[in-house]
Amino acid sequence: ERGQWHLSNSREKLAEHLKATGGKVITRFPPEPNGYLHIGHAKAMFVDFGYAENVGGECILRFDDTNPEAEKQEYIDHIEDIVGWMGYKPSKVTHSAHYFQQLYEYAVKLIETGNAFVDHQTAEEVKLYREERRPSPWRNRPVQESLKLFEDMRAGLIDEGKACLRMKMDHKNENYNMFDLVAYRIKFMPHPITGEAWCIYPTYDYTHCLVDAIENITHSLCTLEFESRRASYYWLLHVLGTYKPLVWEYARLGITYNVLSKRKLKKLVTEGHVSGWDDPRLLTLAGLRRRGARPQAIKNMCREIGITRNETEIPLHKLDYHIRADLDTAAERVLAVLKPLKLVLTNLPEDYSHTVEAKLFPSNPDSGTYPVPLSRVVYIEETDFKEADPDKALKAPGRPGEKKEKFFGMAPGKECVLKYAGLVMCTGLRKEGDKLVEVHGEFQPLKAGQKLPKGVLSWVGQATPGREPPRFEARLYDRLFNTASVADTGEDWLEDLNPKSLITVEGAMATPRLAAAAVGDKFQLERLGFFCVDPDSMPGKLVINRTCTLKADYNK
Ligand code: ATP
Ligand code: MG
Ligand code: MG
């Protein structure tokens, strides 16, 4: 039997299991509620929920909550919320803590069958002895003694650190994870679910496989770092004679210019390097949601990269690509100006007040429209105007290898299209000192069949002549770190934070449609990128996040 036990499921156990599942595939997604979920967890959900969905099975959301010092109700609530946001419906929501009594009884059985003992080595001694493959001096103490001490541990009669329960595995094994792992430790600490009921808590290694067996999980899918723990997983189920799930591992997801471990994310949050777990620069799911990404984009990326066993970091631009492609079909277009420059249409009267119809999806002739006020004073993008037309310089001979970019914006003497409205011939400008204050132009409505200049400008008009359009704050994001592989920078990883990862633009101008948007609404601001209304918005103060630009940046 030895050597085969990890594959064998006794006939009776399998029959019991089949009766419980009805032959259905049951998976679980087992987050520890010690932080917010990140995009790596989205991959895990894609595997756990996705596999079950594909084969008509079910997936349990199980909080793997065996470390009360790190776990919080806030995290539990958030995880349930964000799993729902991703569009996954767990067949039930459970906690490892729900099984603490059953796990305790299994531990007593382990001791009784000579498969566990109470140990008194310190953490350092355990580590040293394990490295030297030496057994603990307490390993062969009488069963009765261990039973009594374990009861004392449970009753709170032994101090923290003075005793633990260890599994009596195989300290001669090649696999470090077979060397008498700790099953229970003493922690005088309340638990978010069980409160003060327990002062001993089971470890991950002890709990995970047992709860998988108790919940009749058919496929226990996890990341590759657990591969070396497969042996201990099956060892424990074997000695306790339970049913054995199938275990299968896949590669963890990493993304360039970011960190994904909860330990690092927590440090960024608690030390104030970002505004919170949902800072749009983080690849937490809450951050991605706030930034404006939709769950489908995240799932599409997971599908594209596939479920493989080779560990690679996915380039950030791949995630951007999926977010952009998904929003492209979903987010209606709207005109807005980030850095407004006043343009006076001098041939229109002071009280001129019209509306033009702008397209929700310009590339689709049948898409609907929304009204944009057109007035004598409109605002264009500051970067769309140049006092001296660089196009003229284009005609002059360049230096060898010089790349000249064509300028399609406005310049004195040049004609441009004011998008959806008409043509403007730039006739002049007004300066105060060195500062450009306004540009002047003459406006002409578009005529059918007319040949148009190449330059097309985004703009915003005044709904009430003489009154400025509503302003908003735009938050533009860049990658959070300057180094592609942050994991390779060791403990100095914080030094690689990009100081310009957030650029706040105040005083951007909105068309009325954008000004009336609600938190979470998503738009493409024409030419500027995809944006999403931020929860920091208040009546009279709109804040919007740039989710992504319109063009890929392959340097990410
Ligand atoms: P972290 O180091 O971020 O805390 P973790 O593995 O401790 O990660 P858990 O909450 O225990 O986080 O993870 C729940 C599930 O999500 C586990 O099955 C785990 O393997 C999986 N998971 C966590 N991070 C990733 C990742 N980067 N890629 C794929 N799966 C992941
Ligand atoms: Mg974990
Ligand atoms: Mg962890």
Side-chain angles (χ1 to χ4, degrees), residues 427-449:
T427 50
L429 51 87
R430 188 166 70 80
K431 281 171 126 177
E432 278 169 13
D434 273 350
K435 197 174 157 16
L436 178 65
V437 181
E438 59 188 39
V439 178
H440 299 158
E442 282 183 9
F443 178 78
Q444 263 180 53
L446 294 175
K447 289 188 216 95

Side-chain angles (χ1 to χ4, degrees), residues 223-360:
T223 39
L224 276 170
E225 75 272 19
F226 293 106
E227 197 171 21
S228 62
R229 300 201 195 175
R230 226 191 233 223
S232 76
Y233 182 105
Y234 284 126
W235 177 88
L236 184 55
L237 299 188
H238 176 70
V239 296
L240 287 171
T242 71
Y243 151 78
K244 300 187 191 79
L246 268 179
V247 174
W248 188 75
E249 300 90 4
Y250 55 90
R252 268 179 108 77
L253 173 65
I255 300 215
T256 57
Y257 300 103
N258 283 279
V259 293
L260 290 188
S261 97
K262 273 183 276 184
R263 181 178 70 83
K264 289 181 175 167
L265 291 169
K266 191 176 270 172
K267 199 168 163 72
L268 291 172
V269 172
T270 53
E271 293 185 1
H273 301 288
V274 295
S275 65
W277 283 100
D278 65 347
D279 188 299
R281 288 167 292 179
L282 296 180
L283 293 186
T284 54
L285 295 177
L288 284 161
R289 171 169 68 181
R290 182 165 177 183
R291 184 156 173 163
R294 301 199 314 164
Q296 194 54 50
I298 299 168
K299 289 181 183 168
N300 290 345
M301 188 199 73
C302 291
R303 184 170 298 110
E304 191 211 320
I305 61 180
I307 311 305
T308 59
R309 284 173 57 89
N310 50 322
E311 309 255 5
T312 47
E313 263 186 321
I314 301 300
L316 184 57
H317 65 74
K318 192 163 267 189
L319 173 61
D320 273 356
Y321 164 82
H322 284 286
I323 293 172
R324 185 182 300 116
D326 172 62
L327 288 173
D328 194 39
T329 56
E332 293 172 351
R333 276 46 169 175
V334 68
L335 287 173
V337 168
L338 278 189
K339 297 211 169 114
L341 171 64
K342 194 169 171 184
L343 166 63
V344 184
L345 306 173
T346 51
N347 60 332
L348 299 181
E350 295 277 347
D351 60 351
Y352 186 83
S353 178
H354 274 250
T355 51
V356 297
E357 292 299 315
K359 289 205 171 74
L360 293 174

Side-chain angles (χ1 to χ4, degrees), residues 28-45 47-48 62 64 79 204 208 221-226 250-255 260-265 311:
R28 84 287 170 269
F29 170 58
E32 182 181 356
N34 60 351
Y36 280 43
L37 298 189
H38 51 66
I39 194 162
H41 293 109
K43 176 174 175 181
M45 285 190 258
V47 177
D48 296 327
R62 181 202 307 155
D64 210 349
I79 291 171
Y204 173 89
H208 200 85
L221 311 171
C222 57
T223 39
L224 276 170
E225 75 272 19
F226 293 106
Y250 55 90
R252 268 179 108 77
L253 173 65
I255 300 215
L260 290 188
S261 97
K262 273 183 276 184
R263 181 178 70 83
K264 289 181 175 167
L265 291 169
E311 309 255 5

Side-chain angles (χ1 to χ4, degrees), residues 516-534:
V519 171
D521 283 357
K522 296 169 181 58
F523 297 98
Q524 184 194 107
L525 305 196
E526 290 206 34
R527 295 174 60 214
L528 299 173
F530 288 101
F531 287 76
C532 178
V533 180
D534 191 84

